[in-house]
Amino acid sequence: MNEFVTRSTRAVSRQSGSGEHPPNAPDDRLRSGPELSVRRHWSAAAAAAVMMLLMLVPMLPLLPTPAHALGGGSTHTGRYEYGIAPVWMGSYRLDDGRIAWCAFDPDLFAPTASDYTYGDWQQESSFVSGNGVDLTGEPLERAAYILATWGDTEDEFTARAVYRALHHHTGVGFALPAGERLTADTAELADRLWQEAGRFGGPHTLADPRLTSQHGGQQVAADLETPRGRSGEAMPGEAVASITGPGVWEQTGTNTLSFDADGSHRILATGTGEITVKVARAVPSTHLLVAHPTQTGAQRIVASAENVPISAQSRVGVVDRFQPEADTTAQTWHHDGSRADETPKLGAPLVDTLHVRTSRDTSWLPYVDGSGQIPATFTVDWYYSPRPLPRSPKPPAEAEHFDRVQAVATGPGDLVVSSKRVIDRSGWFYPVVSFRVADQPEHLRGRFVSDFSADFHAEREQTVIPWQPSVVTQASEIVDGQVTDLIAVSGNDPAAELTVVSELWMSREPAHAEGLTDAPADAERLATVSTTVIGNQTVSTAPVDVPWSRFIGEEVWPNLYWVEHIDRSPSTERWQGRHLLPHETITLTRPTATTKTAEHLVAGEQATDTATVSGTIPTSNGSETVHTELTFSLYRFDDSTDGGAQPVCLAPMWTQPKPIAVTKPGDYVSDPVTIEVPGTYGFRHHLSTTVTRTSDAGAGASGESDAHEQARTTMLHEGECGADGETVVAVSAPVPAVDGEAAPPAEHIAPAAATEIALAATGVPAPVIWVAAGVSMLVLGAGIVLRRRLL
């Protein structure tokens, strides 16, 4: 305010002897006690002191009533009157109701002394009184407390105590000794006012509310404190705690709470979000509110009842609802590493693990009575497709609903669920987890924010039930020096592309009816062929060359066999064939030959040898050029023709001019050879193979290329000297008989002709006998000819 409106003062009679407490006394301790009875009963000494003071009144400044300083009719208990002479006690009421005090400039004129005007109110923490006392720090702060707390008292006794405390305890002093005597009866009260100012005066502190979230944020425990004064003691009086945000005080049901002592109070959440709890009250200031006169020589005036706000606040999150969510990990089969016990099986239920949680901005709420967590019911739906489907917000139309189950969660964590329906087909199954408020108990639906549903084919939400392909194979015969494998695949994913890996092995182990799980100890893998199969097909592998040179010279040839396997694909399980299954085994037999020739002939005739070749005949292929040949040799044992010759095969008298190429088992006949001289002869056959590796041949067993290896000839089979069926006896040609000559000696006649010669003894004319091509002919008289094949 720029100016104070003046009003006239009038005496306010003190009602001596009254037993009422002053309306604004500090507390009962300051009001009670026998020592205060002096203000109720005046003694003669006190009356005499007053009379002495009244005698000094003419020497005090006159108290005119300026029109602009004090309003007419203004009264205040600061006016003390004894008899008919008023005595000024230092306070008066302004037109705005504020109590002003003039206790700090006792040597200067009071505002009522003349027509003084004043400037605006100023806050001052350092003050030099009119008589030169430096008022600052704690004394000024205590004075400010007293003025703010009791400066507007309506009780004249308390007002004199205030006046005494402002003069005596601040050190400013009294204008006249009579002033101290006039307030002697309030000395004890003034002392107590000063002591209380030391306890509760500023500077003041106020602790932030301590907020503790409870029951998942549905409630908050708020520990509140009242302001503290200079000494650290809690100030008397009420403070107000207010809530901004979704919460109310349990005690009041509103967002405000008044309290006058430290304590804990509970807040109930009315929504989800952040609340601010603010504690506030007004406390006496630590400064003086001073108005300075615009003229010199006048007292400054200090306003009473100056209080300033003090506050503290804290924030905390509260919730009254929460949002359950979940993602899942389906029990699935991974073609790149699942163990057998991890693979979902036909006939078993589908399994899904729910990783239950809440949304980022909410926490799982418990029951407020502490009986446990609020339950949340999740739903898991499984969908089936014979083909993999992409991720989408909702299940696509082509996805077939397979099964549905529900499970209850009582907090974050993992929850395992299984389908009621068992797996009855191969393909892709997709679990979709959802939460629906409508599925919850009716009395709990208000505790949840909204529905939730995961995407179709979300991460880790796919179960693959693999197809179980089966393979039936049949090894081929050797054709053009190569072998193939015929593969028939069934039980495969109709749309899956599989790679069937066929391995050609070599072993001397015979075939096993059920096959072997592992390769025999001597087995050697010769080649690997990969064949692509889409769905269920029957296909043939690429041909593989038989490596003749690896075993051609061995006495016993090995067996060749195929083994197949199919690696896992994104939709199919692994399949593994077995070793040495009969239908996958090719038996290789080293070729041999048996021979047969004519036993007897007439010298000058031709003889041949017939070889019957059996076994596996090597033939050329892409990596090796093979020539299998058969040759014959004829040896002369001696001149005998009686079958008793000893076989001697030192040097052949004849050799097959050109080898016969052998490409398959069967009979092979030598070129004819003419035997000119009678005697005993023997044929021998020679079956050999020459193998030459081509330049693009692969590495051998040693791992090093033998592309430049020279041709190698191996004798596969050779007939024995004098082997049964390989000896031929050549006899001389027959000589016609002459009349009068004796018959040839018996040793010159073929034994087989004995019958014919015996005929001559019967009187039949002597015959002419000769042997030709193994047939004896006896020419008898009268033109009779008998033929008999020689034995």
Side-chain angles (χ1 to χ4, degrees), residues 7-11 53-54 57 60-61 63 70 74-81 85-93 100-103 109-112 160 163 167 179 182-183 299 301:
R7 48 175 154 171
S8 61
T9 61
R10 63 178 178 170
L53 181 60
L54 291 177
V57 168
L60 293 175
L63 302 176
L70 297 174
S74 176
T75 61
H76 187 253
T77 54
R79 290 284 297 172
Y80 174 74
E81 183 178 20
V87 177
W88 183 254
M89 294 304 296
S91 65
Y92 53 89
R93 188 185 303 278
W101 290 79
C102 301
F109 290 104
T112 55
R160 291 205 318 277
Y163 183 73
H167 277 75
L182 289 174
T183 59
Q299 293 184 4
I301 59 176

Side-chain angles (χ1 to χ4, degrees), residues 512-535:
H512 290 252
E514 300 299 327
L516 300 175
T517 302
D518 300 315
D522 71 333
E524 179 181 353
R525 183 167 46 215
L526 301 176
T528 301
V529 179
S530 296
T531 307
T532 299
V533 177
I534 299 177

Side-chain angles (χ1 to χ4, degrees), residues 474-725:
Q474 179 65 54
S476 70
E477 297 294 334
I478 299 175
V479 178
D480 295 331
Q482 297 177 317
V483 292
T484 59
D485 197 19
L486 188 66
I487 303 170
V489 178
S490 61
N492 184 26
D493 177 0
E497 180 180 288
L498 298 180
T499 298
V500 181
V501 178
S502 301
E503 298 175 341
L504 183 63
W505 290 73
M506 181 173 69
S507 172
R508 287 171 179 76
E509 185 80 13
H512 290 252
E514 300 299 327
L516 300 175
T517 302
D518 300 315
D522 71 333
E524 179 181 353
R525 183 167 46 215
L526 301 176
T528 301
V529 179
S530 296
T531 307
T532 299
V533 177
I534 299 177
N536 299 300
Q537 289 182 309
T538 299
V539 296
S540 181
T541 66
V544 175
D545 294 343
V546 176
W548 303 108
S549 60
R550 301 290 300 279
F551 52 82
I552 196 77
E554 298 177 4
E555 289 298 323
V556 178
W557 285 8
N559 295 322
L560 301 180
Y561 67 89
W562 289 100
V563 176
E564 299 79 19
H565 73 267
I566 300 174
D567 289 334
R568 285 175 169 177
S569 78
S571 62
T572 57
E573 183 57 277
R574 175 181 173 83
W575 181 87
Q576 176 63 58
R578 298 176 70 82
H579 292 256
L580 286 169
L581 287 168
H583 56 273
E584 287 283 61
T585 302
I586 304 168
T587 301
L588 301 180
T589 304
R590 182 183 174 110
T592 60
T594 59
T595 55
K596 183 70 175 177
T597 187
E599 293 183 3
H600 298 90
L601 53 77
V602 176
E605 293 182 338
Q606 291 182 331
T608 60
D609 194 15
T610 301
T612 301
V613 179
S614 61
T616 305
I617 308 303
T619 54
S620 298
N621 51 43
S623 59
E624 294 178 331
T625 300
V626 182
H627 297 287
T628 302
E629 297 175 333
L630 182 65
T631 62
F632 296 89
S633 299
L634 181 63
Y635 296 85
R636 178 179 171 82
F637 296 157
D638 57 23
D639 294 336
S640 67
T641 58
D642 59 1
Q646 293 298 316
V648 177
C649 300
L650 296 178
M653 60 170 287
W654 173 87
T655 300
Q656 175 83 24
K658 183 179 181 180
I660 301 172
V662 177
T663 59
K664 62 182 179 179
D667 292 343
Y668 294 85
V669 180
S670 69
D671 289 352
V673 55
T674 300
I675 299 178
E676 301 289 351
V677 179
T680 301
Y681 298 83
F683 278 99
R684 293 183 68 186
H685 66 274
H686 311 278
L687 182 62
S688 64
T689 294
T690 299
V691 179
T692 304
R693 294 183 63 81
T694 60
S695 60
D696 59 349
S702 65
E704 298 180 357
S705 175
D706 53 0
H708 303 292
E709 182 180 343
Q710 298 297 318
R712 181 168 25 178
T713 300
T714 300
M715 183 62 67
L716 297 176
H717 190 262
E718 192 170 23
E720 295 181 5
C721 182
D724 291 344

